[in-house]
Amino acid sequence: MGDESQPTSGGSDSEGDQPIVRVVDLSKTYHTDASEPIYACRNIDFEMREREIVALTGPSGSGKSTLLHLIGALDTPDSGVIEVAGEPVTGIKGRRLAEYRRRVGFVFQRFHLLPTLTAADNVIAPLLPYKTSFDRRAKAKQILDAVGLAGREGSLPSKLSGGQQQRVAIARALINDPMLVLADEPTGNLDSQTGEDIMELLFGLRERVGASLIIATHDPGLAARCDRVIQIRDGRVIKDTTRPATG
Ligand SMILES: Nc1ncnc2c1ncn2[C@@H]1O[C@H](COP(=O)(O)OP(=O)(O)OP(=O)(O)O)[C@@H](O)[C@H]1O
Ligand SMILES: [Mg+2]
């Protein structure tokens, strides 16, 4: 078993081995009209290192989105524990929950842009409940520039292509300088070149802001470029493969 624990890419200032994400025996069951409950996540365990880029793969309905929603505290598990940066996520409420959501960027499977808001206002939207010490509009513009949307700050989502809308959704996930980005099929509905650009953008986050990433994807090419692939099926982890570090 590969248990070499030497750090990979340089520049990390993390002290020691605290995982960025720790998931222990996590389960989520949905009860619907169907006679059988749906076991969307079953006894899932994994740990993820800081700055790691993890692909979450598995067939449609295997539980990828459910797991991301649980880690992002958008939904609550039936049992199990989630810790992010050493702090519990499960069971937190109120201020601490709001604080946690601020530190995590979520790119939704469907972009979930607000149709009546411009690109810039969509990017700023997660900041609305908070006071900030910086100029939000300037920061939104800077991030939109970085994702290749310079000059489109004032466009409504309906005037943007699918790939451009996805870039706005990614920009929105970055406005809070997240320590962890959860991206749910970020290239799912995009043509291959646009998908490639979005991938470059996401992978660049590790270098630019030191973020760790979990990317749910059906794209084997994307998964192959991640540090690690966690395959799930019927709500269970069936395979967890870490790529050997390359020079
Ligand atoms: N709110 C819900 N209520 C009932 N069942 C749900 C709910 N959300 C998800 N499910 C069910 O849980 C299972 C896992 O769904 P999930 O969306 O996590 O799968 P997925 O791996 O993301 O699929 P896809 O690749 O199609 O996005 C599916 O059987 C789904 O129908
Ligand atoms: Mg999904």
Side-chain angles (χ1 to χ4, degrees):
M1 303 285 277
D3 63 353
E4 15 330 79
S5 54
Q6 73 262 42
T8 49
S9 52
S12 170
D13 58 0
S14 69
E15 20 52 320
D17 298 335
Q18 177 171 280
I20 182 77
V21 178
R22 183 163 168 263
V23 171
V24 184
D25 204 16
L26 191 73
S27 296
K28 175 76 181 180
T29 305
Y30 291 111
H31 298 275
T32 62
D33 296 339
S35 55
E36 291 288 306
I38 296 169
Y39 300 102
C41 284
R42 291 202 241 196
N43 311 105
I44 291 193
D45 289 296
F46 74 94
E47 284 189 4
M48 175 179 168
R49 284 181 293 111
E50 225 174 280
R51 297 166 67 89
E52 198 168 31
I53 299 181
V54 173
L56 194 58
T57 68
S60 183
S62 56
K64 303 180 295 297
S65 295
T66 304
L67 180 57
L68 290 183
H69 291 164
L70 293 173
I71 295 171
L74 300 171
D75 200 353
T76 51
D78 299 324
S79 58
V81 173
I82 301 167
E83 287 173 5
V84 174
E87 297 287 326
V89 172
T90 32
I92 58 170
K93 296 192 176 71
R95 241 182 120 93
R96 288 183 61 214
L97 177 59
E99 196 56 43
Y100 172 69
R101 290 207 180 117
R102 245 183 117 165
R103 311 277 328 272
V104 175
F106 208 103
V107 181
F108 291 92
Q109 185 162 3
R110 287 167 208 85
F111 316 138
H112 285 319
L113 297 178
L114 297 164
T116 58
L117 297 187
T118 63
D121 286 332
N122 265 287
V123 172
I124 291 167
L127 296 175
L128 288 178
Y130 307 106
K131 286 203 184 86
T132 48
S133 56
F134 55 86
D135 178 344
R136 306 166 174 223
R137 203 149 289 277
K139 185 163 182 193
K141 181 177 180 335
Q142 183 198 342
I143 298 175
L144 284 167
D145 286 358
V147 302
L149 286 176
R152 302 305 300 269
E153 298 84 8
S155 299
L156 292 173
S158 60
K159 306 289 181 197
L160 297 171
S161 71
Q164 290 169 335
Q165 290 180 53
Q166 184 61 299
R167 288 164 203 262
V168 176
I170 290 172
R172 177 182 55 189
L174 302 186
I175 190 81
N176 279 320
D177 300 324
M179 59 178 167
L180 175 66
V181 175
L182 306 170
D184 198 352
E185 298 195 32
T187 61
N189 302 311
L190 308 178
D191 67 75
S192 57
Q193 182 55 51
T194 312
E196 182 68 26
D197 295 347
I198 295 290
M199 255 167 73
E200 290 297 328
L201 185 63
L202 285 171
F203 276 62
L205 292 177
R206 167 164 55 192
E207 276 65 44
R208 291 224 326 276
V209 298
S212 311
L213 274 91
I214 308 180
I215 307 173
T217 184
H218 284 282
D219 178 350
L222 199 171
R225 286 165 63 173
C226 295
D227 301 327
R228 177 173 168 196
V229 181
I230 297 179
Q231 268 175 266
I232 61 172
R233 180 178 288 266
D234 297 330
R236 292 186 206 275
V237 174
I238 57 161
K239 203 167 173 195
D240 185 341
T241 318
T242 299
R243 188 169 317 290
T246 52

